[in-house]
Amino acid sequence: MKTLVRTEFDPFLRPAYLANGLVGLRVGQIPLIAGSALVNGYIGKDCSGESDTVSAAPYPVGADIAINGRYLSERTAAANFIAQAYDLNCGELRSTFEYAFESVVATVKVLTFCNRTMPTIVQQQVRVSVNEPCKLVLQAQLDPRGLPGKLLDWLRPAKRVDGLLQWESPGGYSRIGAGYHATCHCDGEYLDAIRNNFGHERDLQLTRFVIDGEPGREYSMQQIGVLVPSLMHNEPHLQAMRQLQMAKWFEFEKLRQRNASAWSELWKSRIRLVGAEEKYQDLLDSSFFYMHSSVNQATPSSVAPFGLSQDGYSGHVFWDAETFMFPGVLLTAPSAAKAMMEYRVRCAPQARMNAKLNGYEGLQFPWQSSNDGYEVTSYYTEGNAELHINVDIAFAMIQYVNATGDDVFFKEHAWPIVKGVADWVVSRADETDRGYEIQHVVGIDESCVNVNNNCTLNCVSKIVLQQAGEWARKLELVPTEKWAEVAEKLFVPIDSEEKWIMPHEGYVYDPQKKAAHGNFHEGIYSIEAMMLDFPFGYHHSPEVDEATKRHYMKYLHTYMGMPMAAANAVVWAAREGEPELAKEFLDTGYLSRHFEPFNMIGETAKFREGSPNENFVTAQGGILSAVILGLCGLDIVEGSPEGWAKHPIRLPGDWEAIEIDRLYARGRPFRVVARNGAEKAEISFID
C-alpha cells in the first residue's frame, strides 16, 4: 500500500480523514491550526430544528507552539507547509511544517492517528527542533470554545489526566466525555509540565511545557486524547478518564504498535489486481482503507454515507450501510459487520413502533435513522415511502447468517428481524385480482415518487418471505401461512411484450428527465431492476432474467458518472461481456471523483456543477462489495464457501485476475482467485 504524499500547500485542499469506526478526525495541512472531530453516536439538534444531526465534538489532540512568547495560534500565517504523508498501511498521518519568529525557525513534525485497538483513543506526537537558542513552548490543549452545545462538567482530575470535561450537544440530544494526557521529553528525559488547573478555566484546558530550546536537540510531546459518547456510557466524562488511564498504562509507543498490528491484520484481506493499471489498484486500496477506517466492532450506530468524515445527510444511517458497505466488510472483518447488524437489532423495537404508526404488523425500519432507530427523515419526506430499506436490512441479516454460521445470532437476533420484516410485507401487501401488490412507494430511483409495485421492494420481499419460511422450519416452528402465499403471488411488473422487469408498474422513459437530488445529466434511464441480479441474486425465470438484462444493457450507458450503483454497473457490464464498458464505469463513476492527494471519493463527479461531497464511504464500500462478490462471482448462500462460486469470471478492461489472500466464512479464513475467463473463482481454505 502506498503512502500518499502532498508537498505543496493548497488552501482549498480537503483535510485528511482519519478514523477508527468510533472517532473521526479531519486534520489540516498545519495540524496545530486546523482540526475537527466527530464521534459515532454523538448527535445534536439540527440547525433547522427538524431533526438531529451528527455534532462536532471537542478536538482531543489540540496543540500549540510558541517561540519567545509568540504563539502559532496568534500568527498562523507564519507557518510554512513542507509536506504531509498519509500511510495507508497503519492509518498514520505525518505532517511537517516550519514556524518562524524573527530569526528563530522551528521545524515541526506531527504524527496523528486514531487508534484501532482502543477506539476511544486518538494519539498525536509533536516533535520540534530549532535552529538557534530560544524560549520554546509546546502546549497540549482541549478547547471546546466555539463548539455548538454547552459545558456540563469540568473536573480537575489531579494526576489521573491533564484535562477532562463533559459537553452537551445542541438540544441536549447527547453528551460527550473528552479528555487528554500529555508528556514531553528530550533525549530520554521527561520535562516538567505546567497546567492551568486553577479551578476557573472552564473552557480552554492546557498542559504547557516551557523549554530552553537549543539547536541540535529534538523535543517530543506525546498526546493521548479520548472521546466517549453518552450512547455508550451514561457518565461519558468519567469513563473517558478511565479509558485514558488504561491508555497511559499501555504507553504511547505500545499503543501505536498495537494499532499498526491491527491494520496489518486487516490488510491481509487486501484485493490484489493482476494485469490492471495502477490507478485501479490505488482505487481499491484507498476504498479498503477508508471503509475500514469508518467501521469496527466498537461502532455503535452503523455507518453513515460519509462515515465520520463530515455531517452530510446529518450523519444518518440509510440503506447504503446494508446494501453497499456491509457485504465487503462481512467477508474481510466479520466483527465489524456484526456491529452493523447489532445496530439494527438494537433499533428493532422502534421499527416495530414505526410499523404500528403506519398501520402495519411486524417491523418497518425507517429510511433514515440515528442513535435510537426512530424515523428522522426531514428534508426529503418522501423517504418515509422508500420502503425497500426494510427488505434490504433483512437481506443483509440473511447474508450475515450464511457467511458466519453464527447460530446464536441467528436464533436470538437475525430470525426475529427476518420474521418481523416478513410479517410487515404480508401486512403491507394488498390482495388484488393480480395477486398481491405493494402500492404508493418510492423505489431506488428517487425521481419516481408514489409508484406501485416497485421491482426491488417486491422481488426482494419474495426472497425474504421464502427465507423466513425456511428459517422457521429449521427452528422447528410452523411458518406463517401467508408468507408462502404472498411470496408466490406478489406482483412483479413485467413488460407485456418484451418480458423485462420494469422499475415499477407503468414506467415510461423520459429522455428529458434528470435524476433526483443532484445536478446530473438528462436522459438517465432507471436501471434499478439490474440490482435484482446483483447484489440481490433474484431470479424470476430464465426468459424474464435474460430479457431484463438485454433490455437494460441498451440503456446502461445513460447511468455513466452517477453515484450509488456505479460499482454495481461495473459488475453488470462485465458479466454481460462488455469489459470496456465496465472499465468506463470505473473511470467515470469512480476515478472522475477520486480526489488527490489522499484518494478520497466524492459523491458526485468532478465535472458536475457544485462542490463534490467527500468522503463518500458508500461508494468505497460499494466497490469493495462489487469486486469481492460481483466480479469474483460469489453468492453468499447457506453452506461452505466452496459452493458460493456461482458465476463465470468476466473482468473489466485488461484485468487478468483478482486475488484475495484472506476472507472469512464461518470463522475460517479462505483464499479466492478469480481469473478472467474462468468458469468460476477458485476457493481454498487456508487454515
Side-chain angles (χ1 to χ4, degrees):
M1 285 64 65
K2 290 184 175 179
T3 295
L4 307 176
V5 179
R6 178 92 182 179
T7 57
E8 294 183 5
F9 181 79
D10 181 353
F12 302 105
L13 178 69
R14 295 166 180 83
Y17 169 44
L18 287 64
N20 61 14
L22 181 61
V23 177
L25 304 182
R26 298 305 293 268
V27 182
Q29 294 167 89
I30 309 296
L32 306 194
I33 294 176
S36 61
L38 296 177
V39 178
N40 191 296
Y42 178 61
I43 60 173
K45 186 177 182 180
D46 184 85
C47 60
S48 68
E50 295 181 359
S51 182
D52 63 30
T53 183
V54 62
S55 191
Y59 192 66
V61 286
D64 205 351
I65 179 176
I67 296 174
N68 294 334
R70 301 302 297 272
Y71 282 86
L72 172 64
S73 58
E74 301 168 349
R75 306 176 63 250
T76 57
N80 177 38
F81 175 80
I82 295 176
Q84 197 165 49
Y86 201 175
D87 188 348
L88 301 190
N89 287 283
C90 56
E92 294 182 352
L93 181 71
R94 305 181 187 104
S95 311
T96 305
F97 67 94
E98 292 179 340
Y99 171 54
F101 176 61
E102 296 179 339
S103 61
V104 181
V105 178
T107 300
V108 185
K109 299 178 180 180
V110 184
L111 166 75
T112 314
F113 63 95
C114 297
N115 196 292
R116 191 164 185 87
T117 60
M118 293 188 71
T120 62
I121 297 298
V122 176
Q123 293 176 247
Q124 183 165 277
Q125 182 182 62
V126 182
R127 296 157 49 206
V128 181
S129 58
V130 295
N131 67 330
E132 62 180 67
C134 66
K135 185 65 71 175
L136 177 67
V137 174
L138 299 184
Q139 180 171 298
Q141 60 194 41
L142 185 62
D143 186 2
R145 293 175 298 181
L147 278 181
K150 65 180 181 181
L151 180 70
L152 290 184
D153 293 289
W154 177 89
L155 300 177
R156 287 192 294 164
K159 295 182 179 180
R160 295 184 182 90
V161 295
D162 287 10
L164 189 69
L165 58 82
Q166 180 177 204
W167 192 262
E168 184 179 74
S169 68
Y173 286 19
S174 60
R175 294 163 288 122
I176 192 83
Y180 78 95
H181 174 71
T183 60
C184 187
H185 63 86
C186 177
D187 298 332
E189 179 181 349
Y190 281 87
L191 308 179
D192 292 334
I194 301 172
R195 295 193 352 226
N196 68 334
N197 57 352
F198 306 116
H200 58 271
E201 291 77 10
R202 296 183 178 273
D203 41 37
L204 172 65
Q205 300 182 42
L206 61 84
T207 302
R208 184 173 291 163
F209 301 93
V210 181
I211 305 163
D212 291 323
E214 300 176 10
R217 305 185 74 186
E218 184 177 73
Y219 307 93
S220 177
M221 180 174 70
Q222 294 181 336
Q223 300 167 258
I224 301 177
V226 61
L227 292 170
V228 175
S230 57
L231 177 65
M232 301 182 78
H233 199 285
N234 191 47
E235 296 178 323
H237 56 311
L238 300 182
Q239 183 62 21
M241 180 171 62
R242 300 178 189 109
Q243 298 284 129
L244 201 48
Q245 180 62 58
M246 181 62 68
K248 287 169 59 181
W249 287 351
F250 276 94
E251 298 183 344
F252 190 96
E253 283 301 324
K254 187 174 181 180
L255 282 173
R256 183 184 178 189
Q257 292 168 8
R258 284 164 58 89
N259 176 70
S261 295
W263 272 110
S264 179
E265 279 297 307
L266 266 177
W267 279 115
K268 291 179 181 178
S269 297
R270 182 192 186 205
I271 302 167
R272 293 197 312 275
L273 302 181
V274 180
E277 296 175 64
E278 186 178 14
K279 62 183 180 181
Y280 300 119
Q281 185 66 63
D282 290 345
L283 166 64
L284 289 177
D285 285 345
S286 59
S287 295
F288 184 97
F289 174 76
Y290 286 120
M291 182 68 253
H292 285 289
S293 292
S294 301
V295 65
N296 73 13
Q297 58 84 26
T299 302
S301 291
S302 195
V303 189
F306 294 98
L308 293 165
S309 68
Q310 56 145 303
D311 62 358
Y313 298 117
S314 300
H316 293 162
V317 180
F318 293 72
W319 74 303
D320 306 39
E322 283 76 25
T323 303
F324 295 97
M325 306 180 204
F326 172 77
V329 175
L330 174 59
L331 299 186
T332 55
S335 62
K338 185 176 184 178
M340 297 175 74
M341 294 294 95
E342 287 174 332
Y343 167 69
R344 297 300 189 181
V345 171
R346 176 167 62 82
C347 296
Q350 288 72 36
R352 189 169 299 281
M353 286 299 173
N354 193 34
K356 290 180 181 294
L357 280 172
N358 287 279
Y360 304 115
E361 301 294 328
L363 303 176
Q364 181 178 332
F365 286 93
W367 176 238
Q368 297 183 36
S369 63
S370 187
N371 278 3
D372 52 22
Y374 290 108
E375 177 65 78
V376 289
T377 302
S378 55
Y379 64 91
Y380 173 56
T381 54
E382 292 89 346
N384 194 46
E386 202 153 344
L387 301 175
H388 64 85
I389 188 172
N390 222 26
V391 292
D392 299 335
I393 292 168
F395 186 82
M397 288 284 174
I398 295 167
Q399 285 186 308
Y400 179 82
V401 171
N402 287 342
T404 65
D406 187 338
D407 283 341
V408 173
F409 189 90
F410 160 57
K411 294 174 183 177
E412 295 183 357
H413 303 305
W415 158 244
I417 296 291
V418 171
K419 178 186 182 300
V421 173
D423 289 340
W424 172 84
V425 171
V426 169
S427 176
R428 183 63 172 82
D430 297 321
E431 188 171 10
T432 70
D433 57 2
R434 299 190 298 182
Y436 288 89
E437 304 185 46
I438 302 179
Q439 301 173 334
H440 306 297
V441 301
V442 178
I444 292 173
D445 182 352
E446 294 174 341
S447 66
C448 301
V449 177
N450 191 19
V451 300
N452 296 333
N453 297 311
N454 168 256
C455 68
T456 305
L457 175 57
N458 287 23
C459 293
V460 182
S461 289
K462 286 174 172 282
I463 295 174
V464 172
L465 289 166
Q466 291 164 356
Q467 190 67 62
E470 292 177 15
W471 278 6
R473 287 184 286 273
K474 183 176 181 179
L475 292 168
E476 298 182 347
L477 301 172
V478 178
T480 300
E481 189 174 325
K482 277 280 190 178
W483 291 348
E485 180 182 344
V486 175
E488 180 183 356
K489 297 180 180 180
L490 193 56
F491 183 81
V492 176
I494 297 175
D495 179 75
S496 59
E497 295 182 1
E498 297 183 8
K499 305 301 181 185
W500 50 276
I501 297 177
M502 305 169 71
H504 56 80
E505 190 173 7
Y507 175 76
V508 177
Y509 175 49
D510 180 359
Q512 305 301 316
K513 190 173 185 178
K514 292 186 177 183
H517 313 310
N519 299 310
F520 301 115
H521 56 267
E522 295 178 346
I524 298 172
Y525 200 94
S526 179
I527 58 171
E528 74 169 276
M530 290 291 279
M531 296 278 288
L532 301 178
D533 178 61
F534 179 81
F536 294 117
Y538 172 81
H539 301 292
H540 192 86
S541 70
E543 178 190 10
V544 170
D545 292 347
E546 287 305 313
T548 300
K549 295 174 187 177
R550 187 167 56 248
H551 176 82
Y552 286 103
M553 284 302 296
K554 295 186 294 186
Y555 298 96
L556 194 57
H557 66 280
T558 69
Y559 198 76
M560 196 68 67
M562 291 286 288
M564 299 299 290
N568 296 340
V570 174
V571 177
W572 303 332
R575 285 187 176 180
E576 293 305 305
E578 296 283 355
E580 292 306 314
L581 182 61
K583 181 180 176 181
E584 188 177 355
F585 268 107
L586 282 168
D587 291 342
T588 308
Y590 273 88
L591 296 183
S592 68
R593 43 194 174 109
H594 207 218
F595 295 92
E596 303 295 343
F598 300 129
N599 290 355
M600 291 187 284
I601 291 180
E603 182 180 13
T604 54
K606 290 180 182 178
F607 58 78
R608 306 289 181 209
E609 297 176 8
S611 299
N613 292 317
E614 97 303 323
N615 185 33
F616 195 43
V617 181
T618 295
Q620 292 160 335
I623 193 63
L624 294 183
S625 300
V627 173
I628 294 172
L629 296 181
L631 294 181
C632 289
L634 306 182
D635 290 343
I636 302 177
V637 296
E638 189 173 5
S640 176
E642 288 102 337
W644 294 359
K646 300 287 188 181
H647 304 272
I649 306 303
R650 304 289 183 266
L651 302 181
D654 298 325
W655 295 14
E656 297 173 12
I658 298 169
E659 299 177 346
I660 310 173
D661 283 341
R662 190 185 69 182
L663 297 175
Y664 287 99
R666 300 176 173 267
R668 297 178 63 190
F670 67 96
R671 186 171 190 266
V672 173
V673 178
R675 306 183 194 279
N676 195 22
E679 182 180 346
K680 61 182 180 179
E682 304 164 18
I683 296 176
S684 56
F685 283 107
I686 57 177
D687 57 355

